Amino acid sequence: MRIVLGVSAGIAAYKSCELLRLLTESGHRVRVVPTHDALRFVGEATWAALSGEPVTASVWDGVQCVPHVRLGQTADLVFVAPATADLLARAAAGRSDDLLTAVLLTARCPVVFAPAMHTEMWQHPATQANVATLRERGSVVIEPAVGRLTGPDTGPGRLPEPAELLRVAQRVLARGAGGLDPDMSGRRVLVTAGGTREELDPVRFIGNWSSGRQGYAIARAAAARGAKVTLVSANVALDDPAGAQVVRVTSALEMRDAVLAAAAEADAVVMAAAVADYRPETRSESKIKKAGPALPPLRLVQNPDILHELSTRRPRPGQVIVGFAAETGDVLANGRAKLAAKGCDLLVVNQVGGGLAFGTDDNEAVVLAADGGETPVPRGPKDNLADVIWDLVTSRLD
Ligand code: C5P
């Protein structure tokens, strides 16, 4: 596919070098179109060498090929990363005072903006109005990540990690000229992912094998479909999904607090995290020593069942609540029983073992509905299961 990678003048331009690499390694032909000031951060030689294509910011180079029209017309995707406040303003106003903005006016393919700037600039009403205008016109504007910015300050405004930007690009390309379908725009969703850790002492914990991949795929899909996503993440070693606000927790009790705090605002909650059912009754302040042949006593107490609590409380009317169940044996019968016991609206049941579920990119599941529905999802990428879950959730929200 032909991709135009637009780069505007933000310090995060250095991350786009990695994005360019990932795009070309995935087999795409990429033309980098920086703004003039972007070249102060990363020079022409870097973009040209990494893309193997000529690089210019000006409409006055190679005029015989009419690049300001041809590049946009022939692109399958225009991806602007980083998109500064000024670039968003110029795009929203329909300016064409450099090659990149001219490309944006002539492109008829999907256009994605990945904004990166200081929090104040991002939250300014002028920038938010420009973002709303671009979204109304069908462009995808990714929510910036929350975290460390250029200086010591932190807040929303970070460019998501390059591998996550690649996933957004791949998703848009896979969906063709319609780009991303923002069918979840205006929705707020809460997703949990990962596995809780219950501390025994300063160096040990009771944990589980959950990698967080399925929950992250669910959060990523919702963000790509336009939802505002809060992702409560327990002990996951993955890049934050582009567009999701990540809240990090360690234990089941911390997860409960984070979930209950965010659930009141959420139209849907998907609890993909593996939450420990038990925790040690006490946490030793010092490391538990090996003492003779006698085994140290390990007394456990039950953790609150967050999914059950949420399903009983229903903090927001009309909210759709989805649980997960990793089962062995007669998974469907076990799943039906669990769905009734938990009281949620949908339960995603998957069989564990056999190379599925934990730590893999693929999954296979049946989604059981409280109203009797049963949706089998054949083995495939966790991203596919994520979209099926959101299809079922949105049909219930409507
Ligand atoms: O009972 P089981 O652990 O199999 O249930 C799995 C589902 O319940 C998952 O959605 C998980 O996130 C949720 N859960 C919970 N609180 C617990 C245990 C599980 O919310 N203490």
Side-chain angles (χ1 to χ4, degrees):
M1 296 279 196
R2 285 169 186 266
I3 299 175
V4 171
L5 176 59
V7 183
S8 56
I11 180 68
Y14 76 91
K15 286 189 181 172
S16 291
C17 301
E18 177 69 13
L19 173 60
L20 170 57
R21 254 233 122 88
L22 294 171
L23 289 168
T24 55
E25 281 170 3
S26 308
H28 301 297
R29 193 167 159 194
V30 187
R31 230 352 246 266
V32 180
V33 181
T35 61
H36 291 285
D37 282 347
L39 293 171
R40 290 169 176 252
F41 287 111
V42 179
E44 181 202 331
T46 303
W47 300 121
L50 288 176
S51 67
E53 298 278 341
V55 174
T56 177
S58 167
V59 290
W60 302 111
D61 290 331
V63 180
Q64 70 283 4
C65 303
V66 204
H68 71 288
V69 177
R70 190 184 51 81
L71 279 176
Q73 282 176 339
T74 56
D76 298 301
L77 172 68
V78 179
F79 201 106
V80 186
T84 59
D86 183 62
L87 188 278
L88 294 172
R90 289 192 295 133
R95 299 284 303 264
S96 59
D97 46 358
D98 60 6
L99 185 57
L100 178 54
T101 46
V103 166
L104 288 169
L105 280 187
T106 51
R108 293 295 174 268
C109 59
V111 176
V112 180
F113 295 92
M117 64 198 74
H118 269 81
T119 304
E120 291 82 353
M121 296 176 91
W122 171 248
Q123 290 175 341
H124 194 283
T127 304
Q128 289 302 309
N130 291 329
V131 168
T133 300
L134 293 167
R135 284 183 176 151
E136 265 165 36
R137 289 187 197 141
S139 296
V140 177
V141 184
I142 300 170
E143 289 289 312
V146 179
R148 180 91 196 269
L149 302 172
T150 320
D153 40 353
T154 61
R158 266 175 74 84
L159 189 70
E161 295 311 308
E164 287 298 317
L165 295 177
L166 173 73
R167 286 176 184 270
V168 175
Q170 285 170 330
R171 185 180 171 99
V172 178
L173 284 169
R175 294 190 164 222
L180 293 185
D181 177 10
D183 64 338
M184 291 176 69
S185 67
R187 298 289 187 196
R188 281 181 180 273
V189 303
L190 169 62
V191 179
T192 67
T196 63
R197 291 181 180 177
E198 313 299 324
E199 285 187 82
L200 286 155
D201 67 14
V203 296
R204 304 184 183 93
F205 59 83
I206 298 172
N208 61 70
W209 288 111
S210 177
S211 67
R213 282 175 207 237
Q214 184 61 68
Y216 272 49
I218 291 166
R220 190 183 298 121
R225 290 166 70 154
K228 279 218 174 300
V229 182
T230 301
L231 173 60
V232 177
S233 169
N235 313 299
V236 175
L238 298 171
D239 287 336
D240 292 354
Q245 193 198 331
V246 183
V247 179
R248 276 171 241 285
V249 297
T250 302
S251 66
L253 291 180
E254 285 173 19
M255 177 166 281
R256 176 177 177 271
D257 289 346
V259 166
L260 294 183
E265 301 287 313
D267 297 305
V269 184
V270 180
M271 300 274 304
V275 185
D277 292 322
Y278 303 97
R279 67 178 184 278
E281 187 177 39
T282 52
R283 174 191 182 276
S284 169
E285 287 304 319
S286 53
K287 188 177 167 189
I288 301 166
K289 295 273 185 266
K290 188 156 57 179
L295 293 176
L298 181 57
R299 296 174 69 87
L300 299 175
V301 292
Q302 199 148 22
N303 270 327
D305 189 320
I306 309 165
L307 177 61
H308 180 259
E309 189 175 344
L310 210 58
S311 303
T312 312
R313 277 209 212 171
R314 300 275 164 175
R316 191 182 164 92
Q319 183 177 63
V320 178
I321 301 177
V322 185
F324 265 70
E327 295 290 338
T328 55
D330 187 347
V331 291
L332 283 184
N334 293 343
R336 276 269 161 230
K338 186 160 287 181
L339 177 63
K342 298 275 186 181
C344 52
D345 303 295
L346 297 168
L347 189 77
V348 184
V349 186
N350 45 30
Q351 189 152 23
V352 288
L356 285 167
F358 287 123
T360 64
D361 284 322
D362 279 359
N363 211 346
E364 178 182 330
V366 180
V367 186
L368 302 177
D371 56 22
E374 205 170 294
T375 310
V377 186
R379 187 176 188 148
K382 288 182 172 173
D383 294 331
N384 287 1
L385 175 56
D387 273 314
V388 173
I389 293 168
W390 289 126
D391 289 344
L392 291 167
V393 168
T394 49
S395 69
R396 278 162 176 78
L397 286 172
D398 300 339

